[in-house]
Amino acid sequence: MMLYLMDIWDSVRGFMASGGDVLWLVAAVLFLMWVLMLERFWYLNLIAPKEHNNIITAWNNREDSTSWHAHRIREAWVSQAKQDMNARMLIIKTLVAICPMIGLLGTVTGMIQVFDVMAVHGTSNARMMAAGISMATMPTMAGMVAALSGVFFSTRLDAKMKISMEKLKDSLPHH
């Protein structure tokens, strides 16, 4: 098992080395994005249902649920629940949008390395140029993959949040 993990670590290290320092930045942004998305999934599946049940119970225990003031209280509770649910979603969407940009930064730095090799050694040193081209393409690919995974899961997260909010609103009847 330990040997297997060491092989995986060597593969990851080799991949990161071929993509240059920018690939580490992509990895850091990807890690942060996934930590935040997992936290939101955890909140949505474990915490939000309890909070919504508390709101529903408080609404059902109110004597007055028909007055103008009661409706404003209902709106405030729903608004607070929506705000709690959407916490950190803007950060997640920003990180998703940043991933391809960081990948493009890797493209630029890799191409600068290719041009440096060409300036010093000419176009005859294909091996050194290939390392720069690899450094240019790896972060771009990694940034795109990171962004695609983030888009897919943040869209699912948004959909689940909307469904949860609609269930909450439906559970708080207007009398």
Side-chain angles (χ1 to χ4, degrees):
M1 179 65 172
M2 189 65 156
L3 190 60
Y4 180 71
L5 290 175
M6 289 179 73
D7 283 345
I8 290 174
W9 175 246
D10 285 341
S11 297
V12 168
R13 218 175 56 202
F15 176 75
M16 297 304 271
S18 70
D21 293 336
V22 175
L23 207 48
W24 288 104
L25 183 58
V26 171
V29 169
L30 180 65
F31 178 77
L32 179 60
M33 179 179 69
W34 272 99
V35 165
L36 293 173
M37 283 195 294
L38 289 173
E39 184 274 335
R40 286 289 86 194
F41 272 110
W42 173 77
Y43 176 83
L44 186 61
N45 291 314
L46 297 176
I47 305 299
K50 293 174 187 173
E51 290 180 354
H52 291 186
N53 285 337
N54 291 341
I55 293 170
I56 293 165
T57 302
W59 179 255
N60 290 334
N61 289 338
R62 286 185 54 84
E63 289 181 22
D64 173 28
S65 62
T66 59
S67 71
W68 181 86
H69 291 287
H71 287 284
R72 298 303 78 78
I73 290 170
R74 178 188 182 277
E75 287 175 9
W77 289 349
V78 168
S79 178
Q80 183 63 49
K82 185 174 184 177
Q83 186 176 356
D84 292 344
M85 196 169 286
N86 284 320
R88 289 175 284 293
M89 284 304 293
L90 183 59
I91 296 170
I92 291 169
K93 290 177 181 181
T94 302
L95 291 173
V96 168
I98 286 174
C99 284
M101 300 305 141
I102 297 171
L104 289 174
L105 175 65
T107 300
V108 171
T109 57
M111 291 311 294
I112 288 171
Q113 182 178 351
V114 170
F115 292 139
D116 282 347
V117 167
M118 288 171 60
V120 173
H121 300 285
T123 57
S124 62
N125 195 336
R127 187 173 295 226
M128 290 182 78
M129 285 177 29
I133 291 171
S134 173
M135 195 175 290
T137 56
M138 297 301 260
T140 305
M141 181 214 38
M144 293 296 180
V145 170
L148 286 174
S149 71
V151 166
F152 177 74
F153 285 102
S154 68
T155 302
R156 285 211 47 190
L157 194 54
D158 266 341
K160 286 185 75 140
M161 286 180 178
K162 287 178 183 169
I163 290 168
S164 181
M165 285 307 300
E166 288 304 315
K167 285 180 181 178
L168 175 62
K169 288 177 187 176
D170 290 345
S171 299
L172 301 174
H174 285 82
H175 291 292

